[in-house]
Amino acid sequence: MTTYMSGTTITIAGISLFLALLCLYMIPRGTYSGNDLSQGTIQILVLGDIGRSPRMQNHAISALKHGIPVDLIGYIDSELHPRLKEQKLLRVLPLQNSQALQSSRAPFLLLGPLKVIWQLLQLWLVLGVWTKPAKWLLVQNPPSIPTLLVASVICWLRKTKLAIDWHNFGYTILALKLGDDHPMVKVSRLYERRFSRYADVNFTVSGAMSRRMKRGFDISSPVLCLYDRPTEDFRPMDDLQRRKFRSALGPLISVNEHGLDIPGKVKILVSSTSWTPDEDFSILLEALVQYSRMATSTNPHLPELLVVITGKGPQKDLYLKKIEALEQSGELEMTSIKTAWLSTADYASLLACADLGVSLHQSSSGVDLPMKVVDMFGAGLPVVGWSDFESWKELVRDGINGKDFVSTEELRDALVQLLGDDGTELARLREGVLDERRVTWESQWEDVVGRALGYNV
């Protein structure tokens, strides 16, 4: 008697075969077997926009400079650094955003897990299937979920060594949105501490972060501080170069298509931001309102200000509406505020021709450091910055290369003091800033990263 398989049976068998083949395809292929310590690819992973992660791009540039092949993995939403173009030893592997998840208005508690699953699948395929085994995988943290999980498993399967570059702690950023006592924040804290132990080496952006990890993370592998330092892109300008760039600044900040006449007495303030909750721009706006009020009444000698704010981020539209309302009400009479997204070269030139930089970074963890200040120092620009967190004094020395503030009133007073005199105080701070340029990123990278990863640099 002949037996016939039903359509349902055939369908189930087909799906089972497809899933089995898919699982086989998903199995990581190959292991790293290089014996020469001076050779071997570095995979550099950024679960974010590579173009907005200057530190990880600097890692890639330094590795390539020493002849080390690099796989650079991340989202390509912004232009990469010019020195990463046309590099024979560089392979850029773009991650893809899910448009459906990007445009969804679903609650975070539902959307978050779906986004993690999408990222997990992509990372697994890129790191384990579509690339050859590397000697090292260097991962930016945060984000830590699912990056650290996938990286740890892939490195174990492929015999690749794992390095984590700690820019901050992911759980402290999550706490800004959900609160310190939220269960997801507690789980994230445990997750981050657990997977930090699987790294062969950890790099941090501050000494305070290294100390906290050594005390609280129970890590046996090295925890090394690698400060951000000015790169070759950021350097001071002479007076002629500054005047030339000021005259060409207009189109870059959407003033007009021809140019912008900025009289010498107008002072340029620059602040770079990712428009996130750990930077309260209302502090700067209120300080500028108070400055304008003083400049039009009790302190008529105060100069007009051109404030240029660079960067992209989620809260940008919110603050643009606040700025527009203040301008329409006449409360910013002595201040003009412009926003811009600039190339590396134009941003470096803007910093070099400005009079003062402003940092509003408040640090969710208390132990990270704002790279924007490093860029400002590289361009010879003094900084006034929010100072109420542990690691700030590792970067800015009050009265030597910048000024501290912890309130709107202190920021206003710093602007009046530094911009309202004959320039003596700013010149003194600028001398202190120039001392910061003596130690370069490249020399630090060779001493800390090159040696830790076992490359002959």
Side-chain angles (χ1 to χ4, degrees), residues 126-389:
V126 172
L127 295 174
V129 179
W130 295 341
T131 58
K132 293 181 179 180
K135 178 182 178 181
W136 281 94
L137 172 58
L138 176 61
V139 178
Q140 173 184 302
N141 187 80
S144 56
I145 301 174
T147 318
L148 298 186
L149 168 62
V150 178
S152 299
V153 174
I154 289 293
C155 286
W156 178 71
L157 290 172
R158 306 193 90 179
K159 292 182 170 46
T160 293
K161 292 186 177 182
L162 175 61
I164 303 176
D165 194 27
W166 296 80
H167 299 192
N168 205 344
F169 300 131
Y171 71 86
T172 64
I173 296 176
L174 186 62
L176 293 176
K177 181 180 291 187
L178 302 178
D180 290 334
D181 296 326
H182 195 281
M184 286 187 65
V185 174
K186 294 180 179 179
V187 170
S188 178
R189 182 188 296 115
L190 291 173
Y191 166 93
E192 209 161 4
R193 290 179 177 179
R194 166 61 63 181
F195 283 97
S196 66
R197 301 169 192 170
Y198 300 140
D200 295 278
V201 62
N202 294 276
F203 302 112
T204 67
V205 297
S206 74
M209 184 179 289
S210 293
R211 292 189 294 272
R212 183 176 296 184
M213 290 184 67
K214 290 175 181 177
R215 286 195 310 263
F217 279 44
D218 192 24
I219 296 175
S220 59
S221 57
V223 181
L224 307 175
C225 177
L226 175 68
Y227 287 114
D228 286 309
R229 305 300 303 174
T231 63
E232 298 174 3
D233 305 291
F234 297 90
R235 59 188 66 188
M237 286 182 174
D238 58 33
D239 289 341
L240 179 60
Q241 290 172 317
R242 296 182 74 207
R243 287 196 298 270
K244 183 177 180 181
F245 187 79
R246 282 168 72 109
S247 66
L249 186 56
L252 297 178
I253 57 175
S254 303
V255 174
N256 57 51
E257 60 182 12
H258 303 296
L260 178 65
D261 181 22
I262 306 176
K265 64 180 181 179
V266 173
K267 302 297 183 181
I268 299 178
L269 267 64
V270 177
S271 186
S272 176
T273 179
S274 54
W275 300 100
T276 51
D278 62 350
E279 293 184 328
D280 186 357
F281 253 81
S282 62
I283 295 173
L284 175 59
L285 295 182
E286 180 58 30
L288 292 174
V289 167
Q290 294 180 20
Y291 177 94
S292 291
R293 194 176 297 143
M294 293 175 66
T296 54
S297 58
T298 58
N299 296 64
H301 66 285
L302 291 177
E304 294 183 38
L305 304 181
L306 171 62
V307 182
V308 183
I309 305 173
T310 69
K312 298 178 181 179
Q315 293 190 333
K316 182 176 180 179
D317 290 340
L318 170 68
Y319 281 106
L320 288 181
K321 291 178 182 178
K322 291 184 178 181
I323 292 170
E324 183 180 6
L326 290 172
E327 290 175 338
Q328 290 178 350
S329 67
E331 295 182 80
L332 293 174
E333 183 178 347
M334 292 294 289
T335 302
S336 177
I337 302 177
K338 304 298 178 183
T339 61
W341 175 251
L342 304 176
S343 67
T344 300
D346 287 335
Y347 176 58
S349 296
L350 172 65
L351 296 184
C353 82
D355 296 283
L356 187 64
V358 180
S359 171
L360 296 164
H361 181 76
Q362 295 185 1
S363 180
S364 63
S365 64
V367 294
D368 68 319
L369 286 170
M371 189 167 182
K372 71 193 80 178
V373 175
V374 176
D375 295 337
M376 292 173 182
F377 283 173
L381 182 64
V383 175
V384 291
W386 181 270
S387 61
D388 192 20
F389 57 97

Side-chain angles (χ1 to χ4, degrees), residues 77-107:
D77 297 328
S78 306
E79 188 175 357
L80 296 183
H81 192 286
R83 281 192 283 167
L84 289 175
K85 296 179 180 178
E86 299 181 2
Q87 288 274 3
K88 294 181 180 179
L89 295 178
L90 173 67
R91 184 169 58 157
V92 179
L93 302 167
L95 299 176
Q96 302 299 321
N97 277 310
S98 169
Q99 296 301 321
L101 293 177
Q102 289 278 89
S103 59
S104 175
R105 295 185 178 181

